[in-house]
Amino acid sequence: MTKRVVLGALVSALMMVATGCTEECVDQIDCLNEKGEPGEGKRWVCVDNKCQEQDITPTPIPDAGTQTDAGTDAGTQTDAGTDAGTDAGTETDAGTMTVGKDGPCTDSINCMGGLRCEGATGSKTCQPLHIAVTASVSSGAGPIEAVAVRAEAGAEPFELSEAAGASRFPRWNKDGSAVAFVQEATAGSPVLVSRTIPLATGQKTDLTTATAAGTEDFRHMEWEPSSSVAWTKKTGTSVTGISVFDSLSATVQSASPNGGFPSWKDDQSLFYSAAGSGLLSVTLGGPSSDVGGSSGGEQPRYNRVTDFLLYLASTGSTNFADGSQSLYKLLTLPAAGAASSNEIATVSTPTAVTGGELKSFITAHDWAPDGTYVAYVRAYYFDPDGDTAPSIICGNTGAEACGAQAGPNVYLQRIEPTTGQVSGSPVLVSENATLPSVSPDGRYVAYIQGQRLYVRGINADGTLSGDPATVLTPTTLRVQTGLGNDHRPRWQPR
């Protein structure tokens, strides 16, 4: 069966908060993920967020269910991570981060890129950072699990939960000493828990249950740099309203009755987006306020060094088989608001091909912590002539109509930190990849390609390392991508 997890993530990640979504599908790609190939002469369609089989009507436009795409298992393609790989502690760093792996340290600033200072006082050493993701076994025999793996070649991923049943959405605390995730030992009864790192047998803390928190799941969850965990509430098909678990009072509080995609500014304040309102900010216990100049903005990411927001804004919509889908551009804006924003990347100029046009849009954005560059995905798609045939996301070798166009592709873009404006041209990190995530020291970017987790080095000047990418997860695991930012890899803070 052709795998399509990466493509499902691209469309799933673009859902508007106010419209809500369900776990079953956003488009036919999600149906392929969840239910496998349809019957002979049939294809999946997503109707009212439910997967339905429909008869295939003969048409010269290739059906999205027949294309080869970026979800094809990485084990079947040439894998940059199959060689010796690049160990985060073996490079020479020109900055203050001079101690390599296993070297003595007193603080993480002593350690080279990709490492943190760990251990008991007096015997601390520099060790590779962990990256946390949600994954499942390739055989499909078990549930999805929150897992973590050291960012070095040959490391073994390990489960974060000791309980039977599913777990998902791992998120780190401010100093990287603990990770929170959703645990579902009993189906339909999620519990938000945390565990310290390194793991100790039988040690976990139950923070709150979904029932007590008034939600069916903990979507768009974020923890660091706050001491409180924030999430967007889910009720049926609605995903809106932000709640937090306050660690001091051990209670659930409402941050906003609407909106989603929280991004912490500090311990008590966060940014979020709401349909029709653009970007907003709120301090816990207080009223929300608009971020000036952010009309139509969605999915904010706040940079704590430069005080800039990185976010998406729609440029229109197209038809991906199940209805209109927003097409996004990427922008920056001062967190205090401004008369105008800075365009970082936008939809591409159409390229004419047989039967239609090749186009692209932006998604899956992330900051380098120091604000000097951003990572994002450019998703390519085939837009057929006429209004009846659905648009088709280009995949690994491309849908037939996409030709040789690869996609989705991960890019890095330099940013002038004082102005938030573009500096230079974007740099391609990897084709057929998604959900980039920049390490806390800005020296590595993690991403998912063919359902496996990769990491690639970034030079001190923001250019891409010449060393090949290192693969961190085995072929026996399928790293999840179907819920967009919910499934973005998360680096352990230094």
Side-chain angles (χ1 to χ4, degrees), residues 1-330:
M1 180 183 74
T2 301
K3 300 172 185 174
R4 301 172 181 268
V5 174
V6 171
L7 297 184
L10 289 169
V11 179
S12 298
L14 303 178
M15 289 297 292
M16 289 286 288
V17 173
T19 60
C21 62
T22 68
E23 300 292 340
E24 183 158 340
C25 68
V26 174
D27 65 4
Q28 78 276 26
I29 299 170
D30 291 337
C31 295
L32 283 160
N33 284 338
E34 299 295 330
K35 298 182 177 296
E37 296 291 345
E40 185 175 355
K42 303 283 188 179
R43 69 175 178 180
W44 290 118
V45 295
C46 187
V47 179
D48 295 331
N49 302 116
K50 301 295 181 183
C51 295
Q52 296 181 7
E53 284 188 329
Q54 287 187 359
D55 292 331
I56 294 177
T57 302
T59 173
I61 303 302
D63 183 84
T66 62
Q67 66 188 30
T68 303
D69 60 48
T72 303
D73 192 284
T76 64
Q77 58 184 312
T78 301
D79 185 352
T82 57
D83 60 11
T86 302
D87 189 304
T90 60
E91 66 179 76
T92 300
D93 192 298
T96 58
M97 303 183 294
T98 57
V99 181
K101 181 185 174 185
D102 297 326
C105 59
T106 57
D107 187 89
S108 290
I109 193 62
N110 306 140
C111 302
M112 286 183 176
L115 307 176
R116 75 191 301 264
C117 192
E118 297 181 357
T121 301
S123 59
K124 291 184 176 182
T125 59
C126 296
Q127 298 298 324
L129 296 165
H130 289 93
I131 303 176
V133 294
T134 303
S136 65
V137 293
S138 295
S139 65
I144 63 171
E145 297 278 359
V147 302
V149 62
R150 292 277 192 184
E152 64 175 340
E156 290 290 332
F158 57 90
E159 295 180 8
L160 296 173
S161 173
E162 294 179 304
S167 57
R168 55 189 175 271
F169 309 154
R171 303 290 187 266
W172 298 96
N173 70 345
K174 183 176 181 178
D175 65 4
S177 63
V179 61
F181 55 93
V182 180
Q183 182 174 287
E184 199 164 0
T186 303
S189 300
V191 180
L192 183 61
V193 305
S194 70
R195 295 192 69 179
T196 57
I197 298 293
L199 298 178
T201 302
Q203 183 279 327
K204 75 177 179 71
T205 301
D206 290 351
L207 302 180
T208 185
T209 66
T211 300
T215 183
E216 295 174 8
D217 204 355
F218 299 87
R219 298 294 303 275
H220 311 158
M221 193 163 66
E222 300 293 344
W223 192 358
E224 64 97 14
S226 177
S227 59
S228 300
V229 183
W231 64 85
T232 306
K233 296 169 62 176
K234 181 180 185 297
T235 305
T237 60
S238 173
V239 182
T240 188
I242 298 172
S243 297
V244 302
F245 177 82
D246 184 280
S247 59
L248 296 179
S249 64
T251 59
V252 175
Q253 302 178 9
S254 174
S256 170
N258 66 338
F261 295 100
S263 179
W264 286 108
K265 178 180 182 180
D266 50 39
D267 188 66
Q268 294 292 304
S269 302
L270 57 81
F271 294 93
Y272 67 98
S273 59
S277 299
L279 307 185
L280 302 100
S281 64
V282 64
T283 298
L284 301 184
S288 298
S289 59
D290 295 335
V291 176
S294 70
S295 178
E298 299 180 42
Q299 303 180 41
R301 305 274 193 276
Y302 176 70
N303 190 282
R304 298 190 292 275
V305 174
T306 65
D307 200 35
F308 269 87
L309 291 164
L310 180 72
Y311 64 99
L312 300 174
S314 178
T315 64
S317 62
T318 193
N319 177 29
F320 284 110
D322 64 329
S324 291
Q325 174 63 57
S326 291
L327 304 175
Y328 288 100
K329 60 182 177 180
L330 184 63

Side-chain angles (χ1 to χ4, degrees), residues 450-465:
Q451 300 178 309
R452 300 180 75 185
L453 178 65
Y454 289 77
V455 64
R456 186 87 184 264
I458 301 171
N459 298 321
D461 63 358
T463 58
L464 196 63
S465 168

